[in-house]
Amino acid sequence: MSPVRRCSRTACGRPAVATLTYVYADSTAVLGPLATYAEPHCYDLCAEHSERLTAPRGWEVVRLTDSTAPARPSGDDLEALANAVREAARPQERAAEAGGGGRGADPMEVGRRGHLRVLRSPDQ
């Protein structure tokens, strides 16, 4: 017997990557990451069959994502990354301005390194 679990679909011998369970009371099919162990009321599916899964009319398919799988970056992720790069570049510009005349600098801020700030003690 092979230690790799196979797809439950007839005549499919590919390795399973997801587990399908049905919640009959809610008319819901739940497709999630591969279960830890095989159960008789669950169906293991390969990548192709899990992507093409459809449910009967009136039923809902809930697809749970695997938190260990690498997520694809979205547009929001790329925008956040660009903003973080811009923000990381700004402290160097502010430090140059502060050295040139100190205008617009926080009076409590003594220095900066990346996103960290060194603040003047309140007693000084």
Side-chain angles (χ1 to χ4, degrees):
M1 181 169 181
S2 173
V4 177
R5 288 174 28 201
R6 301 287 177 190
C7 183
S8 298
R9 296 291 300 257
T10 306
C12 182
R14 291 184 287 253
V17 297
T19 298
L20 172 67
T21 56
Y22 291 104
V23 181
Y24 293 98
D26 297 333
S27 299
T28 304
V30 180
L31 183 68
L34 191 61
T36 320
Y37 54 92
E39 293 190 33
H41 61 277
C42 295
Y43 302 92
D44 295 335
L45 299 177
C46 65
E48 182 180 342
H49 286 123
S50 63
E51 288 172 10
R52 295 186 337 189
L53 175 74
T54 59
R57 185 174 294 152
W59 281 57
E60 181 182 1
V61 176
V62 176
R63 295 177 188 269
L64 304 174
T65 57
D66 184 5
S67 61
T68 60
R72 291 184 170 177
S74 68
D76 292 340
D77 293 338
L78 295 175
E79 186 176 349
L81 179 61
N83 289 339
V85 169
R86 283 188 207 107
E87 185 64 31
R90 261 188 221 138
Q92 296 167 349
E93 294 169 4
R94 278 193 222 150
E97 290 174 4
R103 62 184 171 158
D106 184 4
M108 292 296 293
E109 187 175 316
V110 175
R112 269 187 103 97
R113 181 164 184 139
H115 68 283
L116 302 174
R117 297 184 299 164
V118 177
L119 301 178
R120 188 174 293 130
S121 174
D123 348 326
Q124 293 179 352

